[in-house]
């Protein structure tokens, strides 16, 4: 039976190194102001597409400022982005695009986090690729360092795959809004993965109904541990 692990930040390693990443993506979809169906103003987290370049759009400046927009304007802007991403890609309010831009202070571990974005130094990334970890894609960042011999940090583009099992959700949860797609789901204390939804082609992914939760396979965990890479913790998550 395949085993899966919740991948999170190792705060002890981050504190020991003393590093901090303060950054945001170059572009992003606006949030949604007052959905016409559920009446919620909201923006997503965990939806990052660092390989998507919006500079070719005539209205690229419309994606540089984070703010909520009415439903019609949000849909118009999303339609401008849609041809630049694969057809099955989710594009909820707040989806972020392009490289991370910002500053790094101090030294960071092999893996580092900027909010929900997962970064990796280039050398460990290449070593993981040699371990035949499936589906890892790293994209350049535009981060500034104070140190002279700074590492090259890549952002991992982590695809949305799989779901939490219904049994670990509140029994009265209504499901996603039929208009805007908002789940309004908090991470359960004891998450369970829906076994039938889990991917076989990638070893690191985000959950489709809770994108802030990053899941790794046993292959990914074992490769990280074998190489002695720092910056991540692993908690096994059951499947059903």
């Amino acid at each position: 039976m395949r085993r899966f692990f919740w991948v999170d930040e190792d705060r002890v390693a981050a504190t020991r190194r003393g590093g901090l990443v303060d950054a945001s993506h170059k572009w992003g979809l606006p949030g949604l102001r007052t959905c016409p169906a559920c009446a919620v103003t909201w923006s997503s987290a965990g939806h990052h597409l660092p390989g998507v370049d919006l500079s070719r759009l005539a209205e690229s400046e419309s994606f540089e400022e984070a703010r909520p927009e009415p439903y019609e304007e949000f849909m118009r802007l999303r339609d401008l982005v849609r041809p630049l991403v694969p057809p099955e890609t989710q594009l909820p309010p707040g989806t972020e695009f392009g490289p991370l831009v910002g500053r790094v202070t101090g030294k960071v571990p092999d893996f580092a986090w900027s909010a929900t974005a997962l970064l990796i130094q280039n050398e460990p990334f290449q070593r993981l690729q040699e371990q035949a970890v499936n589906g890892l894609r790293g994209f350049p960042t535009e981060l500034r360092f104070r140190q002279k011999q700074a590492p090259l940090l890549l952002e991992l583009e982590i695809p949305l795959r799989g779901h939490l099992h219904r049994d670990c959700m509140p029994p009265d949860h209504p499901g996603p809004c039929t208009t805007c797609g908002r789940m309004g789901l908090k991470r359960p204390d004891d998450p369970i993965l829906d076994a039938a939804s889990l991917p076989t082609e990638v070893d690191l992914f985000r959950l489709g109904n809770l994108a802030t939760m990053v899941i790794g396979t046993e292959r990914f965990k074992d490769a990280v541990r074998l190489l002695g890479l720092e910056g991540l913790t692993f908690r096994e998550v059951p499947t059903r």
Side-chain angles (χ1 to χ4, degrees):
M1 178 180 294
R2 293 190 301 156
R3 300 169 67 196
F4 295 87
F5 298 82
W6 172 15
V7 179
D8 204 357
E9 180 180 16
D10 184 344
R11 296 184 179 178
V12 173
T15 300
R16 183 170 60 247
R17 293 293 187 98
L20 177 66
V21 182
D22 182 13
S24 59
H25 291 88
K26 184 171 288 190
W27 301 286
L29 284 176
L32 177 62
R33 178 186 299 160
T34 316
C35 169
C38 67
V40 175
T41 294
W42 68 286
S43 184
S44 64
H47 293 261
H48 312 304
L49 297 169
V52 176
D53 182 0
L54 300 192
S55 64
R56 68 189 73 178
L57 296 178
E59 293 189 48
S60 62
E61 293 184 358
S62 298
F63 300 92
E64 294 178 357
E65 180 186 355
R67 79 273 179 203
E69 292 282 6
Y71 181 75
E72 292 76 11
E73 177 63 5
F74 167 77
M75 293 297 290
R76 186 187 74 82
L77 292 172
R78 188 172 73 170
D79 287 345
L80 294 179
V81 174
R82 177 63 68 187
L84 304 180
V85 302
E88 70 278 6
T89 304
Q90 294 184 29
L91 291 174
T95 300
E96 299 176 347
F97 309 96
L100 274 173
V101 179
R103 177 175 296 180
V104 181
T105 55
K107 296 182 179 180
V108 296
D110 302 296
F111 290 94
W113 298 78
S114 176
T116 57
L118 179 55
L119 310 176
I120 184 172
Q121 296 188 32
N122 182 59
E123 183 180 353
F125 176 74
Q126 300 302 330
R127 294 168 66 196
L128 273 178
Q129 298 284 55
E130 293 170 359
Q131 294 296 316
V133 175
N134 296 319
L136 287 188
R137 301 180 67 203
F139 291 87
T141 60
E142 296 182 5
L143 297 171
R144 304 185 305 277
F145 294 78
R146 290 184 177 179
Q147 60 196 93
K148 292 182 179 180
Q149 295 182 334
L152 174 61
L153 278 179
L154 306 174
E155 181 182 353
L156 292 176
E157 185 172 284
I158 306 174
L160 291 175
R161 299 285 191 275
H163 294 87
L164 288 174
H165 196 280
R166 183 75 192 186
D167 288 352
C168 68
M169 300 181 192
D172 57 348
H173 190 276
C177 172
T178 56
T179 297
C180 70
R182 180 179 180 272
M183 281 291 295
L185 185 66
K186 295 182 178 179
R187 185 174 61 228
D189 293 334
D190 297 304
I192 303 169
L193 303 180
D194 183 347
S197 72
L198 298 175
T200 58
E201 77 282 7
V202 294
D203 287 315
L204 191 69
F205 55 95
R206 296 179 184 273
L207 294 180
N209 55 358
L210 191 64
T212 56
M213 193 167 181
V214 177
I215 301 295
T217 63
E218 187 172 16
R219 182 202 300 266
F220 177 78
K221 178 186 73 71
D222 288 349
V224 170
R225 294 283 169 80
L226 176 66
L227 296 173
L229 304 181
E230 292 187 323
L232 300 179
T233 61
F234 296 90
R235 169 184 163 184
E236 187 164 4
V237 184
T239 63
R240 185 173 300 170

